[in-house]
Amino acid sequence: MSLDKEQVRHIAMLARLHVADEEIADTADKLSRIVDFVDQLAKAPTDDVVPMAHPLNAAQRLRADVVTETDERERIQSNAPAVKDGLYLVPRVIE
Amino acid sequence: MTTRDLHTLTLTEARSALDRGQFSAVELVDALLGRIEALNPALNAFVTVTAEEARAAARAADERRAAGRPLLLDGLPIVHKDIFCTQGVRTTCGSRMLEDFVAPYDATVVARLRDAGAVMLGKSNMDEFAMGSSNETSFFGAVANPWNHACSPGGSSGGSSALVAGRLAPAATGTDTGGSIRQPAALTGTVGLKPTYGRVSRYGMIAFASSLDQAGVITRSVEDAALLLTAMAGFDERDSTSIDEPVPDYAAALDGDVSGLRVGIVQQHFDAGLDAATGDAVRAALGVLESRGAILKDVDLPNIDLSVPTYYVVAPAEASSNLSRFDGVRFGHRAADPEDLLDLYCRSRGEGFGAEVKRRILTGTYVLSAGYYDAYYLKAQRVRALIAEDFRRAFGQVDVIAGPTAPTPAFELGAKTDDPITMYLNDIYTIGANLAGLPGLSVPCGFVDGQPVGLHLVAGHFAEQTLLNAAHSYQQASDWHTACPEAYA
């Protein structure tokens, strides 16, 4: 199945990923090749097969609901592009 | 042994020489740092070299040894793939997105090896976010293969494989989501071990596809891989998928005895896609195992041909979810002068990620999107179950499955960058083990036109000892792993 440019733009928006106009055609071409390639899965008979999400089929482990982390805000925020008073700064979202 | 030859030692050899006082850890580290300075510019195997930290750690190791209290790996040099978080040393994951990222904590793998005395020399180059099979997707540039600088060292752990093959360090960590330890090991004549899913903690290892990712090592000898695995493996409560199984002393239990070992051969692994000379080298290696008492047996993996398409749905789906954390807000690259929040997200990600990472995010987003989820993602998870069941049945009949690691020897840089599918097919023999969560290993088994090729072994869940022992037996009867690229002797 081939993807057209509009589909690529739609997926890119879902993924919050800017794809430059001049890259759209090549992206559509390569994604189409990938989708064509994975389309061969359709031929596998899987009607009664339970989907596998974990390679050892292990159950999710639980732990006691207790505080295990200490406050490391400053150290963690030292990687942030813009912070002020312990808050992350982004462009204004409410006028 | 003069200090000129220290780079030729394996970890195991260096450890006993250090114990005998033949040289100090500081001398060993200095010798390797000198080689890195001289030889890395042509290889580009390192993103960061931590010379001062390494010298300080080596001095501490020498002091412990002098006091008669050496740790398991005291003073032994290692390089970490730049996907493992290292507190205070930048961790880039081969991406512009994390060009300046300094992790506030250590990955469990890093902490455990350091706590065992290992000395980190630096961080190795890799395909961006481990997405690639040639190391060409790295923001920091491609890595050269020491056997032929025009060729790729494989990927995504291409920096690790190149620097071990070039004797810039005796060992390096790697990660393997679809073959990213084993394929580069095969292409560089090194040993690559991917343990069972959950055997080694993923905490602090930047996530690509969480149900497939596993940490492992690249070394020159199987003994060294066993030594490192003992230090790295084991339960970690900070990784929710870590499995609580005891960790044996893998190196101590290596006896090289394969008599009666049932070795499964899968016919599809020797189909038309395999380079003929590579196939001959692998068949000869199987003959060596047989001559040492192993029993060769055909086994069937009826759905194995679907492993690559299954992977290219599951892995991008998980990647698109994992990489959504890179938003230009909390850490990582941020675009300049955003118009609004949406523009900040889209452009930060558009600028921070390279072409292959974008392709995987888009593929993953597509197969998870409304209307396509059942046909692709759910379907792939069902086929994944079929493939895992095939392996489960096969391991009822055999102890290991053996075949080629990669379809060809190392290919030239640039040869496969135009067509993603051609590149993806590099991992055709390795992906099955990731889908089923099985341990796999590549061991050097010969040369084709001067380029190394690898024998791939896969065993049942948590049967790393069986895997290592079979590979060790092969290394006892072969000397491919002692060959060194001429310019790096």
Side-chain angles (χ1 to χ4, degrees), chain B residues 110-255:
Chain B
V110 170
R112 285 193 179 172
L113 289 173
R114 189 198 47 226
D115 291 349
V119 174
M120 177 174 85
L121 300 180
K123 310 283 299 282
S124 62
N125 202 344
M126 55 181 284
D127 277 302
E128 184 179 10
F129 284 101
M131 297 175 193
S133 305
S134 67
N135 217 105
E136 289 166 288
T137 73
S138 172
F139 175 66
F140 301 95
V143 176
N145 189 321
W147 291 96
N148 177 350
H149 285 182
C151 287
S152 161
S156 67
S157 309
S160 290
S161 69
L163 71 91
V164 172
R167 272 75 171 158
L168 275 60
T173 52
T175 58
D176 191 314
T177 305
S180 278
I181 288 174
R182 294 161 287 159
Q183 181 257 15
L187 270 43
T188 57
T190 54
V191 173
L193 170 67
K194 178 204 95 76
T196 305
Y197 182 79
R199 173 81 289 191
V200 175
S201 171
R202 295 186 297 112
Y203 179 76
M205 184 176 118
I206 296 171
F208 161 13
S210 304
S211 79
L212 302 160
D213 295 342
Q214 178 60 198
V217 289
I218 292 178
T219 58
R220 298 210 308 275
S221 77
V222 172
E223 256 182 327
D224 282 3
L227 179 66
L228 289 174
L229 183 61
T230 302
M232 286 164 68
F235 179 66
D236 179 11
E237 63 180 12
R238 289 182 293 190
D239 171 2
S240 66
T241 57
S242 170
I243 307 281
D244 197 358
E245 286 274 330
V247 180
D249 185 338
Y250 293 106
L254 287 180
D255 61 8

Side-chain angles (χ1 to χ4, degrees), chain A residues 25-39:
Chain A
D26 182 59
T27 305
D29 170 54
K30 284 182 172 147
L31 285 184
S32 298
R33 279 196 256 174
I34 294 168
V35 171
D36 280 344
F37 177 69
V38 302
D39 269 340

Side-chain angles (χ1 to χ4, degrees), chain B residues 395-467:
Chain B
F395 284 119
Q397 301 160 44
V398 296
D399 303 301
V400 297
I401 292 174
T405 307
T408 64
F411 45 91
E412 286 192 10
L413 292 165
K416 300 190 180 189
T417 43
D418 285 342
D419 181 20
I421 305 299
T422 314
M423 187 66 89
Y424 296 172
L425 288 171
N426 264 292
D427 295 329
I428 188 165
Y429 307 128
T430 48
I431 276 175
N434 299 83
L435 292 172
L438 300 162
L441 181 150
S442 180
V443 58
C445 75
F447 288 86
V448 172
D449 299 331
Q451 297 278 83
V453 293
L455 169 71
H456 185 222
L457 300 168
V458 177
H461 293 134
F462 298 101
E464 279 85 357
Q465 191 72 64
T466 308
L467 198 62

Side-chain angles (χ1 to χ4, degrees), chain B residues 22-392:
Chain B
Q22 285 184 274
F23 48 82
S24 68
V26 170
E27 287 173 300
L28 176 59
V29 163
D30 272 334
L32 293 171
L33 288 172
R35 270 181 82 77
I36 291 166
E37 204 179 327
L39 299 171
N40 185 57
L43 284 181
N44 195 30
F46 284 80
V47 173
T48 304
V49 178
T50 51
E52 282 321 301
E53 294 92 329
R55 289 194 180 98
R59 277 194 296 275
D62 282 335
E63 282 162 22
R64 284 189 294 268
R65 206 168 241 111
R69 292 190 308 273
L71 302 165
L72 177 69
L73 305 174
D74 231 346
L76 299 183
I78 193 160
V79 177
H80 288 300
K81 184 176 181 178
D82 210 14
I83 196 170
F84 291 101
C85 287
T86 43
Q87 188 175 336
V89 174
R90 75 173 176 157
T91 300
T92 69
C93 221
S95 182
R96 182 184 183 197
M97 181 60 83
L98 293 176
E99 191 179 1
D100 303 311
F101 176 70
V102 179
Y105 62 93
D106 279 322
T108 296
V109 163
V110 170
R112 285 193 179 172
L113 289 173
R114 189 198 47 226
D115 291 349
V119 174
M120 177 174 85
L121 300 180
K123 310 283 299 282
S124 62
N125 202 344
M126 55 181 284
D127 277 302
E128 184 179 10
F129 284 101
M131 297 175 193
S133 305
S134 67
N135 217 105
E136 289 166 288
T137 73
S138 172
F139 175 66
F140 301 95
V143 176
N145 189 321
W147 291 96
N148 177 350
H149 285 182
C151 287
S152 161
S156 67
S157 309
S160 290
S161 69
L163 71 91
V164 172
R167 272 75 171 158
L168 275 60
T173 52
T175 58
D176 191 314
T177 305
S180 278
I181 288 174
R182 294 161 287 159
Q183 181 257 15
L187 270 43
T188 57
T190 54
V191 173
L193 170 67
K194 178 204 95 76
T196 305
Y197 182 79
R199 173 81 289 191
V200 175
S201 171
R202 295 186 297 112
Y203 179 76
M205 184 176 118
I206 296 171
F208 161 13
S210 304
S211 79
L212 302 160
D213 295 342
Q214 178 60 198
V217 289
I218 292 178
T219 58
R220 298 210 308 275
S221 77
V222 172
E223 256 182 327
D224 282 3
L227 179 66
L228 289 174
L229 183 61
T230 302
M232 286 164 68
F235 179 66
D236 179 11
E237 63 180 12
R238 289 182 293 190
D239 171 2
S240 66
T241 57
S242 170
I243 307 281
D244 197 358
E245 286 274 330
V247 180
D249 185 338
Y250 293 106
L254 287 180
D255 61 8
D257 180 7
V258 290
S259 54
L261 184 81
R262 298 167 302 167
V263 177
I265 315 294
V266 180
Q267 283 315 320
Q268 292 102 310
H269 288 167
F270 293 87
D271 277 354
L274 178 64
D275 164 65
T278 303
D280 291 342
V282 171
R283 280 188 204 92
L286 295 172
V288 170
L289 286 175
E290 193 173 28
S291 73
R292 291 174 69 82
I295 302 155
L296 305 187
K297 252 180 106 158
D298 282 333
V299 287
D300 195 18
L301 298 174
N303 297 289
I304 197 69
D305 288 342
L306 293 173
S307 59
V308 183
T310 301
Y311 178 87
Y312 277 98
V313 173
V314 172
E318 294 185 13
S320 72
S321 170
N322 273 323
L323 271 60
S324 66
R325 75 192 58 181
F326 299 101
D327 56 6
V329 174
R330 293 160 302 155
F331 53 87
H333 176 75
R334 178 178 210 157
D337 305 319
E339 281 171 29
D340 52 27
L341 190 57
L342 186 64
D343 184 49
L344 167 66
Y345 291 150
C346 292
R347 278 202 296 121
S348 296
R349 291 162 62 76
E351 294 169 7
F353 294 135
E356 180 62 23
V357 172
K358 285 185 205 172
R359 259 195 301 279
R360 306 249 185 143
I361 291 173
L362 294 171
T363 306
T365 304
Y366 178 71
V367 300
L368 290 173
S369 63
Y372 299 100
Y373 181 90
D374 286 6
Y376 290 111
Y377 184 62
L378 214 55
K379 181 75 184 183
Q381 283 192 311
R382 292 184 205 274
V383 179
R384 182 178 184 181
L386 292 179
I387 293 167
E389 176 60 18
D390 288 350
F391 275 107
R392 197 191 63 76

